[in-house]
Amino acid sequence: MKLSNFNFNLPAELLAEFPAENRDESRLMVVHRKTGEIEHRLFKDILEYFDEGDVMVVNNTKVFPARLYGNKEKTGARIEVFLLRELNAEQRLWDVLVDPARKIRIGNKLYFGDDDSLVAEVIDNTTSRGRTLRFLYDGSYEEFRQKLVDLGETPIPKYINREVTPEDAERYQTIYAKEEGAVAAPTAGLHFSKHLMKRLEIKGVDFAEVTLHVGLGTFNPVEVEDLSKHKMDSEEVRISQEACDIVNAAKVNKKRVCAIGTTTMRAMESSVSSSRTLNPYEGWTNKFIFPPYDFSVADCMVTNFHTPKSTLLMMISAFCGHDLMRKAYDEAIKEGYKFYSYGDAMLIL
């Protein structure tokens, strides 16, 4: 499989700028791998495809307000700082992206907030846009973290060409988010409402939670024609014994295990035993799944519609089968499905 196998024309109007009015009323395309049949439903109809004892595995990572705007010392130039990950809590060191990067050099200081109460010093260059910052703040670590939250903005994707609204803080977050650390939402989970989850639980569907803190590496464009040469950024993963017990019991009992999203799938596939069971794990993963690939844990998945040449699309191709994926995407474009983070969903059975 080559990069060019994953290119297609995506009309600009199909990139969703806003989420569906109600979470569980976005559209749902259901793709049956055995027959190649494609159905068009609403997301809340997912209830009809699962039975008692089936398990949905969700990613409970929580998005933090990772986008800050500061001013460069002396020139006052406005600089966007995107927080990627905390490197050292004690020294308040962070891995960030800056924009415009050409203006930001080692030794520069950036000032944040109307009162300049938060200052950052650039101490290293990591990539063309990447920098390491040391934050300077008079206060405890808890107060410092609260300051980041107060000054930060919900990091909705750059392609959404509008100002961030107060609604984004709620809607660019799953209803089961609890472990803070992601800079992008695990978007397949955005379609679940409290009401829908309750109905699934009443039907006897179990939920298992894993954590994968989504970084921007997930969305880095693939720039090599030979996919085996692409390197994924590492992302932090935690899989508890409890989650493993729920998933492995379902597999023993021949019940369905459904990965809610590509991040959940990647987390699970990063910690599998030789007997194809899920193992507890705490660490990092840079796993890149592209065809051909033999999946060990999940036998169905929920995912959004992804952009051309993305690593996410490559995983879907590996899971769905490349020809069926192309057929489904052609159909999605023809039927006007919405793509990407705030877009519609696909259930692959």
Side-chain angles (χ1 to χ4, degrees):
M1 278 287 174
K2 299 273 190 275
L3 177 62
S4 44
N5 294 126
F6 296 93
N7 202 12
F8 62 93
N9 264 336
L10 178 59
E13 66 273 14
L14 294 186
L15 284 173
E17 294 267 311
F18 292 93
E21 194 172 336
N22 297 312
R23 284 180 187 267
D24 58 15
E25 290 186 350
S26 47
R27 294 169 73 190
L28 176 70
M29 177 186 282
V30 183
V31 179
H32 298 265
R33 288 183 292 173
K34 276 196 180 129
T35 63
E37 185 198 352
I38 292 174
E39 299 178 80
H40 303 290
R41 308 293 297 266
L42 288 179
F43 193 79
K44 59 188 179 184
D45 300 332
I46 200 169
L47 192 68
E48 295 172 28
Y49 296 90
F50 292 90
D51 296 310
E52 188 174 347
D54 289 341
V55 171
M56 290 185 171
V57 188
V58 299
N59 181 4
N60 67 9
T61 187
K62 188 174 187 181
V63 180
F64 65 94
R67 192 174 275 132
L68 306 174
Y69 293 96
N71 297 98
K72 190 178 167 188
E73 65 178 337
K74 297 189 181 130
T75 67
R78 179 175 151 100
I79 305 294
E80 178 190 307
V81 172
F82 196 99
L83 302 172
L84 289 177
R85 61 175 71 91
E86 185 174 54
L87 299 173
N88 184 310
E90 204 178 323
Q91 296 181 32
R92 299 182 186 173
L93 295 183
W94 281 76
D95 212 357
V96 306
L97 295 176
V98 292
D99 194 20
R102 66 185 184 282
K103 296 184 174 179
I104 303 302
R105 298 191 173 89
I106 293 172
N108 287 161
K109 282 202 168 79
L110 300 170
Y111 293 85
F112 301 90
D114 297 336
D115 54 358
D116 293 346
S117 56
L118 181 65
V119 182
E121 183 180 8
V122 182
I123 63 168
D124 197 10
N125 293 336
T126 51
T127 61
S128 59
R129 287 181 55 217
R131 302 290 184 272
T132 302
L133 298 188
R134 177 185 286 121
F135 283 98
L136 313 167
Y137 181 71
D138 289 332
S140 67
Y141 177 73
E142 286 69 29
E143 290 167 330
F144 162 66
R145 287 301 298 245
Q146 187 54 49
K147 191 74 179 172
L148 290 183
V149 169
D150 294 345
L151 292 172
E153 171 181 289
T154 303
I156 61 172
K158 269 285 193 300
Y159 78 85
I160 294 182
N161 206 1
R162 61 170 173 81
E163 291 293 308
V164 173
T165 67
E167 287 74 43
D168 287 314
E170 184 212 342
R171 291 302 302 272
Y172 195 62
Q173 195 81 273
T174 62
I175 59 165
Y176 44 75
K178 54 168 85 114
E179 301 291 337
E180 191 172 85
V183 298
T187 55
L190 297 178
H191 305 285
F192 286 89
S193 63
K194 286 193 170 116
H195 180 63
L196 177 58
M197 286 190 84
K198 195 80 209 151
R199 289 176 70 201
L200 284 160
E201 281 166 11
I202 289 167
K203 196 169 179 183
V205 175
D206 287 326
F207 286 88
E209 296 183 6
V210 299
T211 306
L212 182 144
H213 290 318
V214 190
L216 286 185
T218 300
F219 309 103
N220 275 353
V222 180
E223 289 168 340
V224 285
E225 183 65 9
D226 178 355
L227 301 186
S228 65
K229 303 251 185 323
H230 177 69
K231 294 282 182 284
M232 294 283 278
D233 284 0
S234 290
E235 294 168 314
E236 195 177 353
V237 177
R238 281 199 297 280
I239 302 174
S240 66
Q241 184 65 56
E242 182 191 4
C244 294
D245 292 344
I246 294 169
V247 168
N248 293 335
K251 288 183 76 67
V252 167
N253 295 322
K254 304 280 191 285
K255 298 293 185 182
R256 248 190 195 139
V257 175
C258 184
I260 306 301
T262 56
T263 59
T264 300
M265 185 72 90
R266 215 164 68 252
M268 291 196 292
E269 290 294 320
S270 297
S271 189
V272 174
S273 73
S274 54
S275 55
R276 301 169 83 86
T277 56
L278 188 60
N279 284 342
Y281 183 67
E282 196 156 324
W284 296 78
T285 182
N286 63 350
K287 192 168 191 66
F288 174 31
I289 297 174
F290 59 94
Y293 184 86
D294 183 19
F295 290 83
S296 297
V297 184
D299 35 37
C300 52
M301 75 181 294
V302 174
T303 186
N304 278 26
F305 288 93
H306 306 295
T307 48
K309 296 185 178 179
S310 60
T311 59
L312 310 168
L313 184 63
M314 290 161 193
M315 182 194 290
I316 301 316
S317 163
F319 191 75
C320 189
H322 193 70
D323 292 344
L324 183 53
M325 180 275 287
R326 292 302 300 238
K327 177 183 161 189
Y329 268 60
D330 288 346
E331 182 96 353
I333 291 167
K334 191 175 106 227
E335 295 290 331
Y337 276 76
K338 292 289 189 186
F339 277 64
Y340 216 40
S341 300
Y342 275 152
D344 294 313
M346 178 192 272
L347 168 62
I348 306 171
L349 295 171

